Amino acid sequence: DMEVAIKVVVVGNGAVGKSSMIQRYCKGVFTKDYKKTIGVDFLERQIIVNDEEVRLMLWDTAGQEEFDAITKAYYRGAQACVLAFSTTDRESFQAIDSWREKLEAEVGDIPTVLVQNKIDLLEETVIKNEEAEALAKRLKLRFYRASVKEDLNVNEVFKYLAEKYLQR
Ligand code: GDP
Ligand code: MG
């Protein structure tokens, strides 16, 4: 059997929890001070989907998003994408459209999922449920609410992407 390997890019504004999500998914830990991927381009995890071995390579932006300068190399060959925003950051929610456009311009239409992270901070939310659901509907994307901190729905996000990729 040929092993399936999928390059997954995780995009969204700074501080929404992208690096933490990658770290959590690939290592199972949540490190509060985790900032950047240093010295490596991606972390990986192998899972079984429909009896197939799938290797997910999760690429981290290493903070480039703050300068609106994510390089073409980051997107090159991407086969799936997580679009992430934060429960406590309205700008990150409003920026999803432009992240989607950037993604499409670089790699076209690839399996993509919309994630609202930091759902553990729901009492501090600045985004109404209806708005988030309306965005997902408009973009025709599967939508997950997740907490990297509490390890809620993180596995589900990547399992969905792997399944979606295999279905193509
Ligand atoms: P990035 O800039 O998108 O890569 O975001 P980071 O992964 O560096 O996370 C930014 C901050 O949010 C860090 O202080 C994380 O500890 C924190 N964080 C990430 N995920 C969660 C979460 O689910 N809940 C809470 N409360 N904090 C989180
Ligand atoms: Mg980061």
Side-chain angles (χ1 to χ4, degrees):
D1 257 27
M2 270 293 287
E3 188 201 50
V4 179
I6 309 174
K7 174 175 175 176
V8 182
V9 289
V10 181
V11 300
N13 281 10
V16 300
K18 303 181 300 298
S19 297
S20 304
M21 183 182 295
I22 292 168
Q23 184 89 345
R24 160 71 84 191
Y25 187 67
C26 296
K27 293 186 177 161
V29 292
F30 178 80
T31 311
K32 203 162 173 294
D33 297 321
Y34 181 72
K35 291 253 162 52
K36 283 171 189 160
T37 307
I38 296 159
V40 289
D41 293 320
F42 62 87
L43 294 180
E44 57 180 54
R45 177 165 166 183
Q46 227 163 308
I47 58 170
I48 307 285
V49 181
N50 309 332
D51 289 331
E52 276 199 77
E53 238 173 55
V54 175
R55 192 155 56 93
L56 292 163
M57 297 172 292
L58 308 193
W59 286 60
D60 198 353
T61 59
Q64 297 144 312
E65 69 272 24
E66 279 143 51
F67 312 101
D68 195 29
I70 293 184
T71 57
K72 287 192 180 298
Y74 176 73
Y75 286 106
R76 191 172 300 129
Q79 291 149 309
C81 176
V82 174
L83 282 176
F85 65 97
S86 162
T87 299
T88 58
D89 180 352
R90 185 140 190 101
E91 255 181 57
S92 73
F93 173 70
Q94 288 163 334
I96 289 294
D97 273 315
S98 62
W99 284 111
R100 180 72 179 300
E101 282 163 24
K102 199 173 287 188
L103 177 77
E104 290 211 318
E106 295 291 344
V107 292
D109 188 21
I110 57 174
T112 300
V113 62
L114 181 66
V115 176
Q116 175 174 352
N117 188 34
K118 308 197 188 184
I119 205 72
D120 57 288
L121 300 175
L122 206 55
E123 62 280 12
E124 296 168 40
T125 191
V126 292
I127 296 138
K128 293 194 189 89
N129 281 348
E130 310 88 82
E131 307 182 274
E133 275 150 24
L135 176 66
K137 196 171 175 189
R138 179 163 61 76
L139 297 179
K140 297 189 174 66
L141 295 176
R142 173 74 69 92
F143 174 48
Y144 287 94
R145 292 195 178 86
S147 168
V148 169
K149 185 178 183 185
E150 294 182 353
D151 203 6
L152 205 83
N153 265 346
V154 177
N155 289 351
E156 285 76 1
V157 163
F158 293 103
K159 182 164 181 269
Y160 168 75
L161 281 181
E163 284 169 353
K164 184 102 176 140
Y165 177 81
L166 291 176
Q167 275 167 18
R168 85 209 182 282

